[in-house]
Amino acid sequence: MAKRVKPAEIRRRLSNDLISLSQILERNTSAVVLNADVLKSSANQCLQDHGKFWEYQVAGLQLQVIAPQNVLPKGAGKVLNLTIDLDLCGFCDEELEHSFKKLILKVRIENEDRSSMCSWHFDQHIFDEVDESIEAHPLYHFQHGGHEMKELADSLGKVLLLPAPRMASPPMEAILCIDFLLSNFAGNEWKNLRNDATYVKLLQEAQFRLWKPYVERLATWWAKGPKSSAPILELWPHLA
């Protein structure tokens, strides 16, 4: 039987990872990630004793990137500003199938003069007995829009924003979230980071902790023999 890791050790490891991530981003992506030092505040939050939980927030991490091709409206400009807010609470137990008690990611994207805006929302769906919705709710999912867009509700023109579709995705924490956003909005910096051995190690460890159990659990859907379908369908309710 594997030795159980103490909660304080898990918090310390997460804190050290956030400090390392902050230093790597400051060294390699300072032209894109404008305030990587906010991760040091997140690292301090990790060290606080929350019983069987660990917690941290990444508040207002700022990215400034070149606007991709085919952005609409066409006069939006050549630069985009991304604001990232991440709120996490997890269990200090590495044997649990569900790592998180709370996972909320908000990404606000604005053009340079802030005349146009969109947002994405990623979170963990909370299943409870009173949830009567019949639409698919993957446990971890992306949605376009979200609460950030409500302030524009009266000025959307012909744009229609819906809570669906919810797109299933593996869970993310700080390094996985930042890597995902850089891969979509700052490809050169993202590729350069893959040459930083410390960054790759942090990324691999996060993927091992969060993505490996997620993928392995999904894969059991096609395994031979008896299986319990309910937990797997929580991850990806479209499976048949």
Side-chain angles (χ1 to χ4, degrees), residues 203-218:
L203 196 60
Q204 290 173 337
E205 290 174 349
Q207 291 175 353
F208 185 84
R209 290 197 310 270
L210 299 179
W211 287 6
K212 182 174 181 286
Y214 179 89
V215 172
E216 288 178 339
R217 193 170 168 202
L218 284 176

Side-chain angles (χ1 to χ4, degrees), residues 13-173:
R13 184 189 66 198
L14 292 171
S15 177
N16 290 340
D17 286 352
L18 287 168
I19 291 173
S20 294
L21 178 58
S22 174
Q23 294 170 343
I24 292 166
L25 294 175
E26 288 175 340
R27 184 168 66 243
N28 293 287
T29 66
S30 59
V32 170
V33 183
L34 303 183
N35 59 341
D37 59 307
V38 303
L39 293 168
K40 296 174 183 176
S41 174
S42 307
N44 290 332
Q45 295 170 28
C46 275
L47 296 175
Q48 298 175 14
D49 189 345
H50 294 281
K52 62 181 179 180
F53 302 108
W54 55 263
E55 293 186 24
Y56 70 85
Q57 294 80 42
V58 178
L61 183 66
Q62 301 290 322
L63 275 64
Q64 189 172 79
V65 302
I66 303 301
Q69 294 181 358
N70 302 320
V71 170
L72 297 175
K74 292 184 177 180
K78 298 181 179 180
V79 174
L80 295 179
N81 296 298
L82 279 66
T83 303
I84 300 159
D85 292 298
L86 181 64
D87 190 358
L88 294 173
C89 178
F91 295 92
C92 293
D93 188 340
E94 296 183 324
E95 297 180 2
L96 288 177
E97 289 187 343
H98 293 304
S99 303
F100 296 103
K101 180 183 179 184
K102 176 174 61 175
L103 193 171
I104 302 172
L105 166 65
K106 298 178 182 178
V107 182
R108 183 183 178 107
I109 306 168
E110 299 172 290
N111 63 338
E112 194 167 16
D113 66 7
R114 304 191 184 278
S115 60
S116 298
M117 183 268 281
C118 76
S119 68
W120 285 84
H121 185 87
F122 176 79
D123 67 7
Q124 172 179 309
H125 181 62
I126 305 300
F127 293 93
D128 57 45
E129 295 179 358
V130 299
D131 188 352
E132 299 178 353
S133 62
I134 60 174
E135 295 83 12
H137 280 81
L139 180 62
Y140 305 109
H141 61 269
F142 268 105
Q143 290 175 271
H144 181 251
H147 298 298
E148 293 290 309
M149 299 296 293
K150 287 184 176 180
E151 63 190 72
L152 302 179
D154 297 326
S155 57
L156 291 174
K158 294 183 179 181
V159 175
L160 181 65
L161 287 181
L162 304 173
R166 299 175 180 88
M167 294 168 284
S169 172
M172 292 194 289
E173 40 75 270

